[in-house]
Amino acid sequence: QVQLVESGGGLVQAGGSLRLSCAASGSIFSINAMGWYRQAPGKQREVVASITSGGSTKYADSVKGRFTISRDNAKNTVYLQMNSLKFEDAAVYYCNADVQPAGSYYQYGYWGQGTQVTVSS
């Protein structure tokens, strides 16, 4: 069984910073891409940033220059450093990972439970 557990969300003032973490655990053979998504009330879930196992990154236009995704492959953990937070960044942030479980030939997409980010004035 594979689990993704996020942490680091919370309340922050506009212009402030937060760092999200997501750790994958369980019977894991390998992890390919990892990423962060977010969903605000009344809106669809959208991709924020992604990173391959080799470290290549992609960002949504709305967060370029403000957010940085990184990962520690030894810890099966992905991070999202969020700077210069805006009101429109408020959402539930979800971690996603393409995982090949131990003993499996296939990869599967796994999701974390989500962590709330609230931006105040």
Side-chain angles (χ1 to χ4, degrees):
Q1 193 77 330
V2 175
Q3 287 187 321
L4 301 182
V5 178
E6 298 121 333
S7 60
L11 174 65
V12 63
Q13 284 190 325
S17 298
L18 278 177
R19 188 191 195 211
L20 306 182
S21 300
C22 171
S25 63
S27 299
I28 297 170
F29 177 73
S30 66
I31 302 177
N32 193 359
M34 303 183 82
W36 289 95
Y37 291 69
R38 67 186 181 188
Q39 188 168 19
K43 294 188 177 181
Q44 289 190 333
R45 190 173 298 189
E46 62 176 359
V47 61
V48 175
S50 63
I51 184 168
T52 67
S53 57
S56 297
T57 58
K58 291 183 179 179
Y59 296 92
D61 288 342
S62 59
V63 306
K64 281 181 181 176
R66 300 188 298 120
F67 290 10
T68 302
I69 189 170
S70 61
R71 65 191 283 173
D72 184 334
N73 291 330
K75 296 181 178 180
N76 290 336
T77 299
V78 62
Y79 306 95
L80 185 68
Q81 178 66 44
M82 305 185 293
N83 298 329
S84 303
L85 281 160
K86 304 177 179 180
F87 296 121
E88 52 263 42
D89 294 320
V92 178
Y93 283 71
Y94 298 90
C95 169
N96 174 269
D98 292 332
V99 179
Q100 183 178 353
S104 173
Y105 290 109
Y106 305 104
Q107 288 188 14
Y108 302 92
Y110 290 87
W111 291 91
Q113 80 285 357
T115 186
Q116 179 71 51
V117 172
T118 303
V119 183
S120 67
S121 58

